[in-house]
Structure formats: structure tokens, C-alpha cells
Amino acid sequence: MTEIAVVATFVAKPGNEDKLKEALQGIVAPTLKEPGALQYDLHRDIKEPRRFVFFERWLSEAALAQHNQTPHIQALGKTLPDLIEHGEISVVAKL
Amino acid sequence: MTEIAVVATFVAKPGNEDKLKEALQGIVAPTLKEPGALQYDLHRDIKEPRRFVFFERWLSEAALAQHNQTPHIQALGKTLPDLIEHGEISVVAKL
């Protein structure tokens, strides 16, 4: 199995920062319980407070795919469009 | 001291991927020798091979500032403009 990483960036619509922060923080605990989750760190940009960045490490691409099907990620997927003006998810491999 | 993190993204100009990869890989070893470097992972986007992403964790903002003054980072700063079409460095705080 080859480890995979994800950098996911979300920028809140003006005024939605607190709601977005709460929604993103809400998925950290259940995600860290997933067997393939090696690292799942949520950050906030120190210069742009509407910008949140996840850095994630997964045991395999299959573990990441399973993560994307979990109830907490499916639920987030439904609420995010109202909260964000920009979202970008990059799947990356460590060199 | 409060830990700080950095997500740094560099996109190579077409044809410069190998040179950029080599230049970025070249700073990993000397950086990991720096006392404040907690994590310094270089990745390549699995869908966009011209795109490279560092995920970094630093002991403090001071350690990061010191890193930016090191010879290997100063040297990289001189070569990057010729190699990349886009670069973005976000300093972020873990929530």
C-alpha cells in the first residue's frame, strides 16, 4: 500500500468564517477514528482568516476513497456549497 | 512557543518539471537539519505533475523566519523564478 496525502483548501464566503470553522472542526474527530487516517490537521491561514487548509495523510488511495464515502464527509459535502466561495482539493504523493 | 505550519505550492513552467523537482528535493535534507523543522514533506500532485506541494511544520514563527534566511532557501529563491509559472506560500496555524 502506498501512502497518499491531501491538501484541501476552503475559503469562506464573507461572514461565514465561524460556521465554516465549526463545520470543518466537526469532521476532525470522526475522521481520526478511521483506520486509514495517518494525519488529519485543520489549519487557518494566519493572514487570511477566511481561509482554512487541511493537511491529510492516508494509508492508501483506497482509505481516502473510503473516507470520502463516510457519513460525516457526505454531510459536509451538502453544507459546504453554502459556506464557501472557493474550494480546492489536491491529492499528492510524497517524494 | 507556538507551532506554525506552511503549505507552499509551486507549479513548474511546462518542461521545467524535472529541474523544479530536483531543486525542491535539494532543500529537503538541509532543511530537516534545522532545529525548528518538525515536518518538511515535499509532494507531487498525482493529477497535475507540474505541481509540487510542501507541507511544513515549524516549532515557531521565529524558526520559520530563520529558515527563510538559510543559504539553501536563499539560493532556491534565486532559481525559482525561472522554473515556475505559479508559487503560493500560506502560513497557517493548526486549529
Side-chain angles (χ1 to χ4, degrees):
Chain A
M1 276 186 287
T2 316
E3 195 181 302
I4 197 87
V6 172
V7 177
T9 303
F10 300 105
V11 179
K13 289 175 185 167
N16 279 347
E17 299 90 308
D18 291 343
K19 275 191 213 149
L20 180 58
K21 180 183 168 194
E22 202 182 318
L24 298 180
Q25 283 181 313
I27 62 169
V28 174
T31 296
L32 288 175
K33 289 187 187 117
E34 295 175 44
L38 302 173
Q39 185 170 355
Y40 199 77
D41 295 343
L42 172 60
H43 307 82
R44 188 172 202 169
D45 193 305
I46 63 170
K47 288 192 184 121
E48 168 45 273
R50 289 196 291 128
R51 199 160 181 273
F52 297 85
V53 183
F54 274 109
F55 177 69
E56 313 170 22
R57 286 175 41 236
W58 293 92
L59 201 60
S60 62
E61 285 195 54
L64 174 57
Q66 216 169 347
H67 167 65
N68 290 333
Q69 298 311 315
T70 57
H72 49 279
I73 293 302
Q74 293 286 313
L76 181 72
K78 291 193 181 88
T79 53
L80 271 187
D82 295 335
L83 298 177
I84 62 172
E85 66 179 31
H86 173 73
E88 189 176 337
I89 298 176
S90 299
V91 181
V92 297
K94 189 176 173 190
L95 294 181
Chain B
M1 275 186 284
T2 316
E3 195 180 302
I4 199 85
V6 172
V7 176
T9 303
F10 301 105
V11 179
K13 289 176 186 166
N16 279 347
E17 298 90 309
D18 292 341
K19 276 191 212 151
L20 181 58
K21 180 184 167 194
E22 202 183 318
L24 297 180
Q25 283 181 313
I27 62 169
V28 174
T31 296
L32 287 174
K33 289 186 187 119
E34 295 175 45
L38 303 173
Q39 185 171 353
Y40 199 76
D41 294 343
L42 172 61
H43 307 82
R44 188 172 202 168
D45 193 304
I46 63 170
K47 289 194 182 117
E48 168 45 273
R50 290 197 288 125
R51 199 161 182 271
F52 296 85
V53 183
F54 275 108
F55 176 69
E56 313 170 22
R57 286 174 43 236
W58 293 92
L59 201 60
S60 63
E61 284 195 55
L64 174 56
Q66 217 169 345
H67 168 64
N68 290 332
Q69 297 312 314
T70 56
H72 48 279
I73 293 302
Q74 294 285 314
L76 181 72
K78 290 191 182 93
T79 52
L80 271 187
D82 294 336
L83 298 178
I84 63 172
E85 67 179 33
H86 174 72
E88 190 176 337
I89 297 176
S90 299
V91 181
V92 296
K94 189 176 174 189
L95 294 180

